Amino acid sequence: MDLTWSESELAFREEARDWLAANVPAEPLPSGDTRDGFSAHLEWERRLFADRWAVVSWPVEYGGRDASLWEWLIFEEEYHRAGAPQRVTQNGIFLLAPTLFEFGTQEQRDTLLPRMAAAQDLWCQGWSEPGAGSDLAGIRSRAERDDEAGGWRLTGQKTWTTRGAFCTHLFGLFRTDPQAGRHRGLTYFLVPLDTPGVTVRGFERLDGDEGFAEVFFEDAFVPDGAVPGGAVLGGVDNGWRVAMATTGSERGLTLRSPGRFLRAADRLVELARSQPEAATGPLVDRVTEIWMQAQAYQQFTLAQVTDIVEGRPPGARSSLNKLYWSELDIRLHEAALELLGPEGQTDNLWSRGFQFSLAGPIYAGTNEIQRNIVAERVLGLPRT
């Protein structure tokens, strides 16, 4: 692994840093999990797109810069270092887009990706269901073929759909062969949320923001041409394979880049220095250890990118990323709340971050499942 940056990569970092310094809003935007905040974040993301910073690693014709994975990591570091707003289009750009690049038809890629990059089409993820939770193979929502009408009829319910109440489209798994086994007979659909028969109902999280939604499908007819290139991604009954590509992005490199945790660890050190009476003894050691763990996550990611660039995809090892960043996030926020003392129990960025961190071991596949994947598919241990 080469830890040195080339001249062109250093120039890329400088250009990104300068643009962010000139453009990042001076005041934090309201929460992107509220309607007003979501609109404010969209304005920001469209400014990113206008100057080709929204999707730096994508081809130029889709709004990107053809940046390498190394340059993408650099941009992520600079983005978080600058304190830029959270990306509310992340489910499309960071989860669906890599899957479209791998499984989409040329027409799907050429029409969907530019609109996604420009924050014109806003995508949410429809996987979790009541009764199935995060057991993706346990979903029961159905899609039945209607050859005469030329499309699919969807029934069922999705839940925990992040920012679903504010989005225009949903990508999700539906069971197209009810007689097939758990991981078979599933199909990956791309669905406009204004389809008749689709109802989206937002609901509040613990912090009061309308960050989640339930999505109901009541014999919702989705024509084959509901989205350009077709409403099915990756082929009928091939949904599990396609979904695993999405989860690889969600658990691995793209959703939680190390830049996010490097910046959070630096903020934790700054907080410790501002609380000298609380930052003593073992707590100082914990803050130091957490900062080092954030650095270790960066080094792990750099090694992973080296593998990808040299033709060794991470596969099941993406579960290691997910275990590491989700548990690091909790440790980091627990230390911050301890430093803050009683103030940590009030409504502030650290306490909100702590609440969100508690969801980390659950979303993107529970950590229990990830440990099973690591045990069986990375370490080769037998099933018990």
Side-chain angles (χ1 to χ4, degrees), residues 4 23 25 32 55 76 87 113 127 134 140 158-159 185 201 212 250 266 287 291 307 312 321 345 359 366:
T4 58
N23 287 279
V55 287
E76 285 289 300
R87 302 290 298 274
L113 290 170
W127 282 359
S134 58
R140 291 182 292 183
K158 303 292 183 180
T159 192
R201 185 171 66 192
F212 289 127
E250 190 174 21
D266 285 344
V287 170
W291 186 89
D307 283 344
R312 299 183 294 274
N321 295 58
Q345 307 306 311
T366 66

Short mmCIF file of all heavy atoms in Angstrom, two decimals, residues 4 23 25 32 55 76 87 113 127 134 140 158-159 185 201 212 250 266 287 291 307 312 321 345 359 366:
data_model
loop_
_atom_site.label_atom_id
_atom_site.label_comp_id
_atom_site.label_asym_id
_atom_site.label_seq_id
_atom_site.Cartn_x
_atom_site.Cartn_y
_atom_site.Cartn_z
N THR A 4 1.66 7.60 -0.15
CA THR A 4 1.98 8.94 -0.65
C THR A 4 0.95 9.38 -1.69
O THR A 4 0.39 8.55 -2.41
CB THR A 4 3.38 8.97 -1.28
OG1 THR A 4 3.43 8.02 -2.35
CG2 THR A 4 4.44 8.61 -0.25
N ASN A 23 -17.77 27.91 -0.39
CA ASN A 23 -19.19 27.61 -0.64
C ASN A 23 -19.95 26.97 0.50
O ASN A 23 -21.18 27.02 0.49
CB ASN A 23 -19.29 26.69 -1.87
CG ASN A 23 -19.01 27.43 -3.16
OD1 ASN A 23 -19.87 28.11 -3.71
ND2 ASN A 23 -17.76 27.32 -3.64
N PRO A 25 -22.10 26.53 3.57
CA PRO A 25 -22.90 27.53 4.30
C PRO A 25 -22.25 27.92 5.62
O PRO A 25 -21.72 27.07 6.35
CB PRO A 25 -24.23 26.80 4.52
CG PRO A 25 -24.30 25.78 3.41
CD PRO A 25 -22.89 25.34 3.19
N GLY A 32 -31.83 17.71 7.86
CA GLY A 32 -32.32 17.21 6.58
C GLY A 32 -33.44 16.20 6.73
O GLY A 32 -33.99 15.72 5.73
N VAL A 55 -20.84 14.25 -7.46
CA VAL A 55 -20.53 12.83 -7.71
C VAL A 55 -19.16 12.76 -8.38
O VAL A 55 -19.05 12.41 -9.55
CB VAL A 55 -21.62 12.16 -8.57
CG1 VAL A 55 -22.89 11.93 -7.76
CG2 VAL A 55 -21.95 12.99 -9.80
N GLU A 76 -13.96 13.24 0.18
CA GLU A 76 -14.73 12.95 1.39
C GLU A 76 -14.04 13.52 2.63
O GLU A 76 -14.69 14.08 3.52
CB GLU A 76 -14.91 11.43 1.53
CG GLU A 76 -15.93 10.85 0.58
CD GLU A 76 -17.34 11.23 0.97
OE1 GLU A 76 -17.76 10.89 2.08
OE2 GLU A 76 -18.03 11.87 0.15
N ARG A 87 -25.42 14.71 3.37
CA ARG A 87 -25.97 14.49 2.03
C ARG A 87 -27.34 13.79 2.15
O ARG A 87 -27.40 12.61 2.51
CB ARG A 87 -25.02 13.65 1.19
CG ARG A 87 -23.62 14.23 1.03
CD ARG A 87 -23.62 15.48 0.16
NE ARG A 87 -24.07 15.20 -1.18
CZ ARG A 87 -23.29 14.77 -2.18
NH1 ARG A 87 -22.00 14.58 -1.96
NH2 ARG A 87 -23.77 14.53 -3.39
N LEU A 113 -29.01 8.17 -13.85
CA LEU A 113 -27.87 8.68 -13.08
C LEU A 113 -27.72 10.21 -13.16
O LEU A 113 -27.49 10.85 -12.11
CB LEU A 113 -26.59 7.97 -13.51
CG LEU A 113 -26.52 6.50 -13.09
CD1 LEU A 113 -25.35 5.79 -13.76
CD2 LEU A 113 -26.41 6.37 -11.58
N TRP A 127 -36.61 -1.69 1.78
CA TRP A 127 -36.26 -3.08 2.07
C TRP A 127 -36.96 -3.60 3.33
O TRP A 127 -37.63 -4.63 3.31
CB TRP A 127 -34.74 -3.22 2.22
CG TRP A 127 -34.04 -3.23 0.90
CD1 TRP A 127 -34.63 -3.15 -0.33
CD2 TRP A 127 -32.63 -3.32 0.65
NE1 TRP A 127 -33.68 -3.18 -1.31
CE2 TRP A 127 -32.45 -3.29 -0.76
CE3 TRP A 127 -31.53 -3.40 1.48
CZ2 TRP A 127 -31.19 -3.37 -1.33
CZ3 TRP A 127 -30.27 -3.48 0.89
CH2 TRP A 127 -30.11 -3.46 -0.49
N SER A 134 -35.05 -6.42 9.61
CA SER A 134 -33.90 -6.28 8.72
C SER A 134 -33.49 -7.63 8.13
O SER A 134 -32.41 -7.74 7.55
CB SER A 134 -32.73 -5.64 9.46
OG SER A 134 -32.39 -6.42 10.59
N ARG A 140 -42.08 -10.08 2.46
CA ARG A 140 -43.30 -10.72 1.93
C ARG A 140 -44.02 -9.86 0.90
O ARG A 140 -45.02 -10.30 0.33
CB ARG A 140 -44.23 -11.03 3.10
CG ARG A 140 -43.70 -12.14 4.00
CD ARG A 140 -44.67 -12.46 5.12
NE ARG A 140 -44.77 -11.37 6.07
CZ ARG A 140 -45.50 -11.39 7.18
NH1 ARG A 140 -46.21 -12.47 7.46
NH2 ARG A 140 -45.52 -10.37 7.99
N LYS A 158 -43.52 -1.43 3.16
CA LYS A 158 -42.13 -1.20 3.57
C LYS A 158 -42.13 -0.24 4.75
O LYS A 158 -43.01 0.63 4.86
CB LYS A 158 -41.32 -0.61 2.41
CG LYS A 158 -41.32 -1.47 1.14
CD LYS A 158 -40.55 -2.77 1.35
CE LYS A 158 -40.50 -3.58 0.05
NZ LYS A 158 -39.75 -4.85 0.23
N THR A 159 -41.13 -0.35 5.60
CA THR A 159 -41.05 0.56 6.75
C THR A 159 -39.60 0.97 6.99
O THR A 159 -38.68 0.46 6.33
CB THR A 159 -41.67 -0.10 8.00
OG1 THR A 159 -41.83 0.90 9.01
CG2 THR A 159 -40.81 -1.24 8.52
N GLY A 185 -36.38 -16.01 -6.03
CA GLY A 185 -37.69 -15.50 -6.39
C GLY A 185 -37.92 -14.07 -5.97
O GLY A 185 -39.06 -13.65 -5.76
N ARG A 201 -46.33 7.44 4.10
CA ARG A 201 -46.73 8.09 5.34
C ARG A 201 -45.50 8.27 6.23
O ARG A 201 -44.91 7.30 6.73
CB ARG A 201 -47.77 7.24 6.07
CG ARG A 201 -48.31 7.92 7.34
CD ARG A 201 -49.48 7.15 7.90
NE ARG A 201 -49.08 5.83 8.39
CZ ARG A 201 -49.93 4.86 8.71
NH1 ARG A 201 -51.22 5.05 8.57
NH2 ARG A 201 -49.49 3.71 9.17
N PHE A 212 -38.35 9.07 8.98
CA PHE A 212 -38.71 7.76 8.43
C PHE A 212 -40.09 7.82 7.78
O PHE A 212 -40.87 8.74 8.02
CB PHE A 212 -38.73 6.70 9.53
CG PHE A 212 -37.37 6.33 10.05
CD1 PHE A 212 -37.10 6.38 11.41
CD2 PHE A 212 -36.37 5.91 9.19
CE1 PHE A 212 -35.85 6.04 11.89
CE2 PHE A 212 -35.12 5.56 9.66
CZ PHE A 212 -34.86 5.62 11.02
N GLU A 250 -23.50 -0.27 1.06
CA GLU A 250 -24.04 0.27 2.31
C GLU A 250 -23.14 -0.08 3.50
O GLU A 250 -22.93 0.73 4.39
CB GLU A 250 -25.45 -0.29 2.53
CG GLU A 250 -26.21 0.37 3.66
CD GLU A 250 -27.64 -0.13 3.73
OE1 GLU A 250 -27.90 -1.24 3.20
OE2 GLU A 250 -28.49 0.55 4.32
N ASP A 266 -11.62 14.28 15.61
CA ASP A 266 -10.97 15.57 15.88
C ASP A 266 -11.88 16.46 16.75
O ASP A 266 -11.41 17.15 17.66
CB ASP A 266 -10.65 16.28 14.56
CG ASP A 266 -9.46 15.67 13.84
OD1 ASP A 266 -8.69 14.92 14.49
OD2 ASP A 266 -9.30 15.95 12.64
N VAL A 287 -10.47 8.85 24.93
CA VAL A 287 -10.51 9.81 23.82
C VAL A 287 -9.32 9.56 22.89
O VAL A 287 -9.47 9.55 21.66
CB VAL A 287 -10.50 11.25 24.34
CG1 VAL A 287 -10.29 12.24 23.20
CG2 VAL A 287 -11.80 11.55 25.09
N TRP A 291 -9.55 8.33 18.94
CA TRP A 291 -8.89 9.07 17.85
C TRP A 291 -8.00 8.12 17.04
O TRP A 291 -8.00 8.16 15.80
CB TRP A 291 -8.06 10.21 18.44
CG TRP A 291 -7.47 11.12 17.39
CD1 TRP A 291 -8.03 12.22 16.84
CD2 TRP A 291 -6.18 10.97 16.78
NE1 TRP A 291 -7.18 12.78 15.90
CE2 TRP A 291 -6.04 12.03 15.85
CE3 TRP A 291 -5.14 10.07 16.92
CZ2 TRP A 291 -4.88 12.19 15.06
CZ3 TRP A 291 -3.99 10.22 16.13
CH2 TRP A 291 -3.88 11.27 15.23
N ASP A 307 -6.79 -2.85 -2.72
CA ASP A 307 -7.28 -4.13 -3.23
C ASP A 307 -8.23 -3.94 -4.41
O ASP A 307 -8.14 -4.64 -5.42
CB ASP A 307 -8.00 -4.91 -2.11
CG ASP A 307 -7.01 -5.54 -1.14
OD1 ASP A 307 -5.82 -5.65 -1.49
OD2 ASP A 307 -7.45 -5.94 -0.04
N ARG A 312 -9.12 -6.81 -6.61
CA ARG A 312 -9.55 -7.73 -5.55
C ARG A 312 -10.73 -7.09 -4.80
O ARG A 312 -10.54 -6.37 -3.83
CB ARG A 312 -8.39 -8.01 -4.58
CG ARG A 312 -7.18 -8.67 -5.23
CD ARG A 312 -6.11 -8.99 -4.19
NE ARG A 312 -5.53 -7.79 -3.60
CZ ARG A 312 -4.51 -7.11 -4.11
NH1 ARG A 312 -3.95 -7.51 -5.25
NH2 ARG A 312 -4.04 -6.03 -3.53
N ASN A 321 -16.04 -3.61 7.60
CA ASN A 321 -16.20 -2.15 7.65
C ASN A 321 -17.39 -1.78 8.53
O ASN A 321 -17.30 -0.90 9.39
CB ASN A 321 -16.47 -1.57 6.25
CG ASN A 321 -15.32 -1.75 5.31
OD1 ASN A 321 -14.90 -2.87 5.08
ND2 ASN A 321 -14.84 -0.65 4.74
N GLN A 345 -27.15 15.52 28.33
CA GLN A 345 -28.52 15.02 28.32
C GLN A 345 -29.49 16.00 27.67
O GLN A 345 -30.68 15.71 27.56
CB GLN A 345 -28.99 14.72 29.75
CG GLN A 345 -28.06 13.81 30.52
CD GLN A 345 -27.78 12.51 29.77
OE1 GLN A 345 -28.72 11.86 29.31
NE2 GLN A 345 -26.51 12.12 29.64
N ALA A 359 -28.43 3.44 16.20
CA ALA A 359 -29.05 2.71 15.10
C ALA A 359 -28.01 2.01 14.22
O ALA A 359 -28.34 1.12 13.45
CB ALA A 359 -29.89 3.66 14.24
N THR A 366 -28.02 -6.09 10.54
CA THR A 366 -27.62 -6.03 11.95
C THR A 366 -26.20 -6.56 12.13
O THR A 366 -25.71 -7.38 11.36
CB THR A 366 -28.57 -6.86 12.83
OG1 THR A 366 -28.41 -8.25 12.48
CG2 THR A 366 -30.01 -6.46 12.64
#
